[in-house]
Amino acid sequence: MEKLTFYALSAPEKLDRIGAYLSERLSRDVARHRYGYVCIAMEALDQLLMACHCQSINLFVESFLKMVRKLLESDKPSLQILGTNSFVKFANIEEDTPSYHRSYDFFVSRFSEMCHSSYEDPDIRTKIRMAGIKGLQGVVRKTVNDELQANIWDPQHMDKIVPSLLFNLQSGERTESRSPSPLQASEKEKESPVELTERCFRELLGRAAYGNIKNAITPVLMHLDNHSLWEGKTFAVRCFKIIMYSIQSQHSHLVIQQLLGHLDANSKNSATVRAGIVEVLLEAAAIASSGSVGPTVLEVFNTLLRQLRLSVDYELTGSYDGNTNIGTKIIKAHEERQLQEAVIRTIGSFANTLPTYQRSEVMLFIMGKIPVPGVHLALPEGTRMIQIMLLKSLVQVTAGFQTTNMLTALPNSFLEPLLSFSLTEDPEARLLVLQILLSLIDRHDNRPKFSNIRYSGREHYETLFALLGLLSVELANEEVVVDLIRLTLALQDLALSTDEALPVYNRCAVHALAAAYLNLICQLTTVPAFCQHIHEVIEARQKESPFLLPEDVFIDNPKLLSSLEKVEGDVLFLQSKITEVLGGSGYNTERLATPYVPQYTDEDRLSKRKSIGETISLQVEVESRNSPEKEERTPTEEITFETLKNAIVDSVGMEEQERERRRLVVEKFQKAPFEEIAAHCGARATLLQSKLNQIFEITIRPPPSPSGTISSGYGQTQSRSVPIYEMKFPDLCVY
């Protein structure tokens, strides 16, 4: 062997004849079953290949690959393994000169076939499969970086390589799931097909460039479809964990996009299949982090929201095509619910990877998808379910949301529709809105401190308490504190009011909520007199009305009275007392005297709130009206008993006159001829137009002219209107 190697290195031009001779001998020995000589010939070919790197090695390589092919075509497992080992050695050699005509199609097909070997002896079967995996790894290494070779990323090759690797990953999982004996375990530790397959798969994906990701991922999706592996979730999740950790991070969003497209393609498949794809998306998004969404941020969320809506429709209709024919698939409601929860979690997972400004866009995008509550109308069940699901999605998106500017987190375009949902009749929707507000307001992770209050039996009241507490902590200034105390006193008035048809429990719960919050806020303000008043009321309640405190209300079986008609005296928080003690400590308590009037009607709820500018201008107008100068100009009127009496009598008479006037108007429009009504309306329109013309004449002036001004007869200057084409402009103004 040494002499042959020296001869080949001394006369490189002889390499092709040496290779042809060894190839001929090996073919003859294989045919005659002289396997010892076959091994000797292959060893000689291997050593010559490793030693020689001259330019004429290409012809020798052709002879070498011809012999490897001959061994792989053999029925003998030992020859197949021998040929594979030789090919792996060849694959690790970096050739100096490229080859334009070499083809590896046969090797891809044969190694893939070996990966699926079904040989009877399990040990030999494992060796054949491992040889096939090593062979595929060698093909990839040999061709992936050589632009002159056949493109290994073509679908015809990937459709063979990737399923072969996944098949061994899957079969390895089944084998490892059994409990092996200690001897078998020690053998597996030495050489594991699963570890080899995973290493080969990672190497393949790590070499994938931007344009090759799709061809590498598509066979994975097809394999999981064909073998129904989405439903189990475990294997599919493991595959895509390998993929996401192996590919280059800047290509992560391509995998996400393919998964989303595959989810759309399976829209009418079973809920378990769609849930499996969604679970894979969830894991993939968590791994990919900020690169998972890519340039099309809203398209990702639009796809997931579309799947959410489809799932709700399927659950309600009971079929995938809108009818309940005998041939349609049976839909299980609980499976659709599981899918919906998985989609919502996935939306949250994607949102967590986004920067603050993009998450704000997603919040507005989802808010725009939520059905608006109807005026005086109950929502259909499907619309209500969509509303709940989208609000749950918002809860996930806003979880952990951090912003330095509260106006960024709560713009009017987001806050107004959100608050409108808090006034719906659906308790679940109201609770979700409160949770969203908590997530947006809590910027310092204080929410757990308010969520774990000592007596928490009703989630709505607990969330309200947490919201009030977070507002006090996050927006801590005197004006906010005064407004929140005013709100709490309004809640107490609500519980006392007989106009609202509130059950006894709700009245007691509102009283308890007010007590809990005032107890908190008095300790935050550190005003001793304020704290003393709050504690005195709480002690009075403990003695006389324990059912107005949290510890006796928020329990499983609260002991309540049949009615709350006699709640008065020391058990109530007094506005006058609070105003006095806070005013003495420097707080501006004027707002405490202003009645708090919430908007309850649907029309008020759907109307727009005044902007800050309008509010300020209104305040300025009110202040100007109340200024001393105005007071001097306005004559004062002496109010006497006769004045009050006349006012009462006049108001009654005016009401009757107004009622009569309305009746006459209605009667006129019902009985008068059309010409008379038209003439009446025309006269009013003419009067309006004349008034508008007067206003325009007063306000509109002719435009100033560059030609100068002219003098009027009274010595005043008057602008002369000149057509623009006659105006003379300075040179600097002309282009």
Side-chain angles (χ1 to χ4, degrees):
M1 194 66 231
E2 290 179 359
K3 291 180 180 179
L4 179 61
T5 303
F6 178 77
Y7 176 68
L9 290 173
S10 303
E13 67 277 3
K14 302 292 185 180
L15 260 178
D16 57 334
R17 295 185 63 187
I18 295 173
Y21 172 76
L22 288 174
S23 175
E24 181 184 352
R25 284 292 303 267
L26 191 142
S27 299
R28 188 166 64 242
D29 292 337
V30 169
R32 295 177 180 177
H33 305 287
R34 301 169 65 180
Y35 300 125
Y37 289 104
V38 171
C39 294
I40 292 174
M42 283 308 301
E43 181 66 25
L45 285 168
D46 290 345
Q47 291 197 24
L48 286 174
L49 196 64
M50 300 293 290
C52 303
H53 293 280
C54 58
Q55 293 183 354
S56 59
I57 197 174
N58 276 334
L59 295 176
F60 177 74
V61 169
E62 293 302 321
S63 300
F64 169 79
L65 292 178
K66 181 180 177 182
M67 291 320 305
V68 172
R69 180 170 182 166
K70 189 75 175 178
L71 293 177
L72 293 176
E73 289 174 344
S74 171
D75 296 334
K76 294 285 185 181
S78 57
L79 295 185
Q80 296 175 15
I81 295 171
L82 178 64
T84 302
N85 292 337
S86 295
F87 183 84
V88 171
K89 293 176 184 177
F90 160 70
N92 291 327
I93 297 175
E94 294 184 6
E95 299 182 54
D96 297 332
T97 56
S99 174
Y100 295 89
H101 58 280
R102 195 180 300 162
S103 173
Y104 294 96
D105 293 1
F106 165 79
F107 296 101
V108 172
S109 301
R110 183 56 183 154
F111 289 139
S112 299
E113 185 181 347
M114 291 170 64
C115 288
H116 291 84
S117 174
S118 57
Y119 201 84
E120 295 179 357
D121 190 330
D123 293 334
I124 296 178
R125 181 171 66 236
T126 300
K127 290 179 180 179
I128 295 175
R129 289 184 179 180
M130 290 185 67
I133 297 168
K134 291 177 181 178
L136 289 176
Q137 188 178 27
V139 172
V140 172
R141 286 179 178 175
K142 198 64 181 174
T143 59
V144 73
N145 292 324
D146 193 347
E147 296 179 357
L148 298 173
Q149 300 291 350
N151 191 357
I152 199 68
W153 301 106
D154 286 345
Q156 59 176 344
H157 299 311
M158 285 290 107
D159 290 347
K160 297 174 184 177
I161 295 174
V162 173
S164 301
L165 297 176
L166 296 180
F167 172 78
N168 281 276
L169 269 180
Q170 183 187 357
S171 61
E173 276 195 346
R174 288 198 300 263
T175 305
E176 290 179 355
S177 63
R178 304 169 190 164
S179 54
S181 64
L183 179 61
Q184 291 174 330
S186 62
E187 291 176 356
K188 286 182 181 294
E189 288 174 2
K190 295 179 182 177
E191 208 167 31
S192 170
V194 177
E195 293 176 356
L196 176 63
T197 305
E198 184 175 333
R199 188 165 61 251
C200 179
F201 193 32
R202 288 183 184 277
E203 183 177 343
L204 173 69
L205 295 167
R207 295 173 181 268
Y210 181 88
N212 303 325
I213 293 292
K214 182 177 180 181
N215 290 345
I217 302 302
T218 301
V220 178
L221 301 175
M222 298 302 297
H223 181 83
L224 297 174
D225 284 345
N226 296 335
H227 296 272
S228 303
L229 295 173
W230 292 111
E231 299 179 6
K233 300 179 185 177
T234 307
F235 181 71
V237 168
R238 183 188 177 195
C239 284
F240 275 89
K241 278 187 174 182
I242 294 173
I243 292 171
M244 298 305 292
Y245 280 121
S246 301
I247 62 173
Q248 301 174 40
S249 59
Q250 65 268 27
H251 301 158
S252 299
H253 68 278
L254 296 176
V255 180
I256 301 294
Q257 288 176 3
Q258 278 196 265
L259 280 169
L260 290 169
H262 198 65
L263 180 60
D264 273 343
N266 285 271
S267 292
K268 293 190 176 181
N269 214 324
S270 66
T272 52
V273 170
R274 285 177 284 135
I277 301 175
V278 171
E279 287 289 344
V280 170
L281 272 168
L282 176 65
E283 296 291 338
I287 295 170
S289 187
S290 59
S292 63
V293 177
T296 56
V297 177
L298 296 182
E299 187 58 33
V300 172
F301 292 92
N302 193 32
T303 302
L304 292 172
L305 294 178
R306 182 167 60 247
Q307 291 299 321
L308 201 58
R309 183 177 293 273
L310 284 174
S311 178
V312 171
D313 291 342
Y314 294 157
E315 181 183 349
L316 290 175
T317 60
S319 67
Y320 294 114
D321 49 6
N323 54 50
T324 53
N325 294 333
I326 298 176
T328 58
K329 297 180 181 179
I330 299 175
I331 292 180
K332 297 179 181 178
H334 71 278
E335 292 180 353
E336 292 293 341
R337 288 292 176 92
Q338 291 174 357
L339 168 65
Q340 293 158 16
E341 295 298 328
V343 171
I344 291 171
R345 290 197 307 272
T346 305
I347 288 174
S349 179
F350 274 107
N352 289 335
T353 67
L354 296 177
T356 302
Y357 72 95
Q358 282 187 328
R359 202 190 288 202
S360 299
E361 291 179 2
V362 172
M363 287 159 49
L364 288 170
F365 180 73
I366 297 177
M367 181 60 72
K369 297 280 187 180
I370 304 178
V372 179
V375 180
H376 300 299
L377 294 175
L379 289 176
E381 180 60 20
T383 307
R384 192 197 74 83
M385 289 178 63
I386 288 291
Q387 192 181 80
I388 294 298
M389 293 300 165
L390 293 178
L391 286 174
K392 286 183 176 179
S393 302
L394 268 180
V395 171
Q396 291 289 330
V397 172
T398 54
F401 183 71
Q402 296 288 338
T403 179
T404 55
N405 189 349
M406 194 62 74
L407 290 176
T408 305
L410 296 169
N412 281 347
S413 56
F414 177 79
L415 185 60
E416 289 180 3
L418 180 66
L419 293 178
S420 72
F421 296 123
S422 68
L423 298 177
T424 60
E425 295 183 359
D426 190 345
E428 187 176 3
R430 297 199 304 270
L431 182 61
L432 291 171
V433 170
L434 290 175
Q435 292 173 352
I436 293 168
L437 289 171
L438 285 177
S439 298
L440 293 173
I441 294 173
D442 184 17
R443 295 178 295 177
H444 299 89
D445 297 327
N446 288 316
R447 182 178 178 179
K449 301 172 185 176
F450 294 106
S451 297
N452 300 324
I453 58 176
R454 183 180 175 189
Y455 305 102
S456 56
R458 298 294 187 274
E459 199 170 2
H460 281 80
Y461 294 103
E462 177 186 344
T463 312
L464 275 172
F465 175 79
L467 181 60
L468 290 170
L470 283 175
L471 285 171
S472 307
V473 174
E474 293 289 342
L475 308 175
N477 62 56
E478 293 185 1
E479 293 182 2
V480 173
V481 168
V482 170
D483 276 336
L484 290 174
I485 294 174
R486 173 171 164 249
L487 172 62
T488 309
L489 293 174
L491 287 175
Q492 179 177 263
D493 294 340
L494 173 68
L496 293 171
S497 173
T498 56
D499 297 336
E500 300 292 336
L502 287 177
V504 174
Y505 176 81
N506 293 57
R507 294 179 185 277
C508 294
V510 172
H511 278 296
L513 174 65
Y517 176 67
L518 287 175
N519 182 48
L520 170 70
I521 198 67
C522 76
Q523 297 177 56
L524 294 177
T525 55
T526 63
V527 178
F530 181 36
C531 293
Q532 181 180 356
H533 172 64
I534 301 301
H535 292 155
E536 286 175 356
V537 174
I538 292 175
E539 290 175 1
R541 289 188 179 186
Q542 290 173 343
K543 296 176 182 178
E544 303 174 16
S545 308
F547 49 84
L548 301 181
L549 293 174
E551 53 264 34
D552 282 6
V553 177
F554 300 135
I555 56 177
D556 294 333
N557 297 308
K559 297 178 181 179
L560 305 176
L561 301 178
S562 58
S563 64
L564 290 181
E565 298 177 356
K566 297 182 179 179
V567 178
E568 56 187 7
D570 296 338
V571 297
L572 294 179
F573 301 101
L574 301 179
Q575 176 189 332
S576 58
K577 183 66 174 178
I578 294 175
T579 303
E580 178 186 346
V581 296
L582 289 181
S585 298
Y587 283 82
N588 185 2
T589 57
E590 292 180 2
R591 292 181 61 82
L592 283 178
T594 307
Y596 184 89
V597 183
Q599 297 178 350
Y600 285 108
T601 62
D602 293 311
E603 291 83 358
D604 290 338
R605 186 189 66 214
L606 295 175
S607 64
K608 299 291 183 182
R609 296 182 303 163
K610 285 185 169 59
S611 65
I612 295 175
E614 292 172 339
T615 305
I616 293 173
S617 64
L618 182 63
Q619 291 174 352
V620 171
E621 183 180 355
V622 171
E623 289 173 0
S624 65
R625 287 180 179 175
N626 295 332
S627 64
E629 298 175 0
K630 284 283 183 180
E631 291 176 0
E632 291 174 4
R633 295 176 186 176
T634 306
T636 58
E637 181 181 359
E638 185 179 357
I639 300 176
T640 62
F641 174 77
E642 291 296 328
T643 308
L644 294 175
K645 180 180 178 181
N646 293 333
I648 295 173
V649 173
D650 291 345
S651 64
V652 174
M654 289 180 64
E655 288 179 3
E656 293 179 355
Q657 293 176 8
E658 180 68 18
R659 198 178 302 113
E660 180 65 19
R661 189 186 66 81
R662 290 184 180 180
R663 189 187 64 79
L664 292 174
V665 170
V666 172
E667 183 178 355
K668 178 180 179 181
F669 276 89
Q670 287 177 344
K671 298 180 179 181
F674 174 75
E675 291 78 7
E676 183 180 345
I677 296 174
H680 177 71
C681 294
R684 294 182 63 183
T686 304
L687 178 62
L688 173 64
Q689 187 62 44
S690 65
K691 293 294 184 183
L692 288 175
N693 291 336
Q694 292 177 15
I695 294 172
F696 291 152
E697 288 176 2
I698 294 172
T699 57
I700 297 178
R701 295 283 184 270
S705 170
S707 59
T709 59
I710 58 176
S711 299
S712 64
Y714 299 98
Q716 296 178 350
T717 59
Q718 181 179 355
S719 298
R720 182 174 64 187
S721 180
V722 180
I724 194 161
Y725 55 84
E726 293 183 2
M727 291 182 180
K728 296 180 181 180
F729 293 94
D731 293 339
L732 293 176
C733 297
V734 180
Y735 176 69

